[in-house]
Amino acid sequence: MSRDQETNSEPVRLLFEMTREDNPRLYDDLIRFNKGTKRVNRLRFLAHEGLLAQNWMLVPAVGALSQTAASALQAPAKVNPTVAGHVVQAFEVPMLDGDD
């Protein structure tokens, strides 16, 4: 079995902690749901939509937009390194007591 086939067959499990200071908008959205399936499904949905938006697949009716707005959508977005760092940090493994 190749590495790709092994990777595709095993589930991805995530465990992370997040405070409101890490990402207020994401925290406020997720905290609306009780612990468990609903919160996990919401995070899964947000991750999926983020992937679609990142790949520019989530562009509604470009023909209905003005030419200026359409060209703005096609321009590559600039990434704010500070915000990107917060996102990466939100998905890092939380430090346990005794870890440095």
Side-chain angles (χ1 to χ4, degrees):
M1 187 181 291
S2 72
R3 176 76 176 141
D4 290 335
Q5 290 172 335
E6 287 178 26
T7 303
N8 290 336
S9 64
E10 62 185 69
V12 175
R13 298 184 190 277
L14 300 173
L15 173 66
F16 70 96
E17 290 184 18
M18 184 172 80
T19 63
R20 190 168 194 288
E21 291 79 30
D22 295 333
N23 189 329
R25 291 176 65 187
L26 180 58
Y27 180 88
D28 290 344
D29 190 83
L30 293 175
I31 201 69
R32 296 181 302 140
F33 303 98
N34 293 330
K35 292 181 186 178
T37 306
K38 288 183 180 181
R39 190 179 289 173
V40 170
N41 285 337
R42 178 62 178 166
L43 183 58
R44 182 181 296 133
F45 172 79
L46 292 172
H48 182 260
E49 292 298 308
L51 283 174
L52 291 177
Q54 185 178 23
N55 292 322
W56 293 103
M57 295 175 67
L58 190 67
V59 180
V62 174
L65 298 174
S66 69
Q67 185 63 28
T68 307
S71 64
L73 283 176
Q74 294 170 355
K78 293 186 180 183
V79 176
N80 182 334
T82 305
V83 174
H86 289 290
V87 173
V88 170
Q89 182 182 13
F91 288 98
E92 287 180 347
V93 177
M95 292 181 60
L96 303 174
D97 290 339
D99 287 351
D100 289 320

